[in-house]
Amino acid sequence: MIGPSEVVASFDDPADNLAFDEALLRAAPEAPVLWIWRNTDAVVVGRGQKIEREVKADVCAADGVPVLRRASGGGTVFHDPGNLNITLVLPGLGLAAKAVKPLEALGELMTATVAELGLPSRLGDRGLFVGDAKLCGFAVFRTRTGLLAHSTLLVSTAAERVGRYLTSAPADPRPLDSHRSPVASLAEHGLRKGVAEVTAAVRVAAAARLGELATRKPSAEEREWHRSLRHTRYGYPEWHSEGAQRPASQG
């Protein structure tokens, strides 16, 4: 019987990590999959967002911080090694998939994680808050065969770093704009935990909700999807700048 699993994988290039994030969903797992990962410095916009409305592109360019695009919706986030990413992939097919609420499942997981670390929190608009400050941001992506929800968790990333690269709310709000909120990390809330300790808390919370997780390496199908998505999307500059895939004529 196939049960829930935690896949162990990491890549040096943030674009490779984003490609693998989507590959986990495209591989259509038969049971829940958890992936816990980190990026080097990068700004990641949602699938349909406009970079000029979200990102201080000149500051990113000056600091050598890439601006990348993911497949899910949601708002723009800043990644660095002090920000933990949690991906949860849930199987779902046809009408049955419509009853699955991936954001709710992810919200429960992250609430339990933060409680495990000893910090009270509340679920808000696509994220987890401590007081008025956002600690986790959520996004979701659905296909015919499954659902992906992922979260950031600010472990030690300073709020000033986030503000350095992301714009303030535009004067003419649009539906796809990020919902700007003040942010604060676990460290800024006085909870100075290392990434290993926070990762362990995620695993405890996930096992309580999903069942015992078998640790494994990426499957052959996940590796093949990763290679394909790296070619058609995440290794193609126009995907990140405009959301356009590589034309078939370009091989």
Side-chain angles (χ1 to χ4, degrees):
M1 181 177 178
I2 298 174
S5 63
E6 179 188 353
V7 64
V8 178
S10 63
F11 304 90
D12 293 333
D13 183 353
D16 267 324
N17 278 323
L18 292 175
F20 188 71
D21 186 48
E22 183 178 348
L24 291 174
L25 174 64
R26 296 293 181 181
E30 297 179 31
V33 175
L34 177 73
W35 182 41
I36 305 170
W37 51 289
R38 289 187 292 164
N39 264 339
T40 53
D41 291 6
V43 171
V44 183
V45 301
R47 173 66 178 89
Q49 292 189 306
K50 301 294 186 184
I51 288 175
E52 62 270 19
R53 296 181 65 82
E54 300 286 332
V55 182
K56 299 174 184 175
D58 55 341
V59 179
C60 289
D63 289 359
V65 174
V67 180
L68 307 174
R69 188 177 302 274
R70 62 178 186 270
S72 64
T76 298
V77 292
F78 173 67
H79 286 187
D80 73 353
N83 186 358
L84 199 63
N85 299 293
I86 297 92
T87 296
L88 178 62
V89 179
L90 302 172
L93 185 62
L95 293 175
K98 295 181 180 179
V100 179
K101 298 179 179 179
L103 283 179
E104 183 176 298
L106 184 65
E108 291 176 356
L109 171 60
M110 298 314 299
T111 299
T113 296
V114 175
E116 181 77 17
L117 295 167
L119 196 63
S121 62
R122 64 175 177 84
L123 283 171
D125 181 29
R126 286 187 177 267
L128 194 69
F129 291 75
V130 177
D132 293 329
K134 183 178 280 191
L135 178 66
C136 303
F138 302 158
V140 66
F141 183 36
R142 184 188 296 261
T143 66
R144 288 189 308 103
T145 57
L147 312 102
L148 177 149
H150 42 200
S151 173
T152 54
L153 171 53
L154 295 169
V155 178
S156 59
T157 303
E160 291 79 12
R161 294 211 76 202
V162 179
R164 176 169 175 78
Y165 300 112
L166 307 191
T167 63
S168 301
D172 57 333
R174 297 179 186 174
L176 291 179
D177 289 344
S178 294
H179 295 182
R180 271 76 169 178
S181 301
V183 299
S185 67
L186 292 174
E188 289 167 325
H189 286 295
L191 207 64
R192 300 192 176 277
K193 304 286 187 181
V195 167
E197 188 173 355
V198 176
T199 299
V202 175
R203 289 179 174 135
V204 167
R209 277 145 191 81
L210 303 174
E212 184 176 353
L213 292 131
T215 302
R216 64 174 178 82
K217 295 180 180 179
S219 69
E221 189 169 9
E222 288 163 350
R223 292 195 301 270
E224 176 57 27
W225 270 109
H226 178 250
R227 184 204 63 76
S228 175
L229 289 164
R230 188 73 173 84
H231 177 71
T232 59
R233 294 193 196 238
Y234 299 95
Y236 183 54
E238 281 78 1
W239 163 257
H240 299 294
S241 62
E242 302 169 14
Q245 295 196 119
R246 188 189 302 273
S249 60
Q250 293 187 13

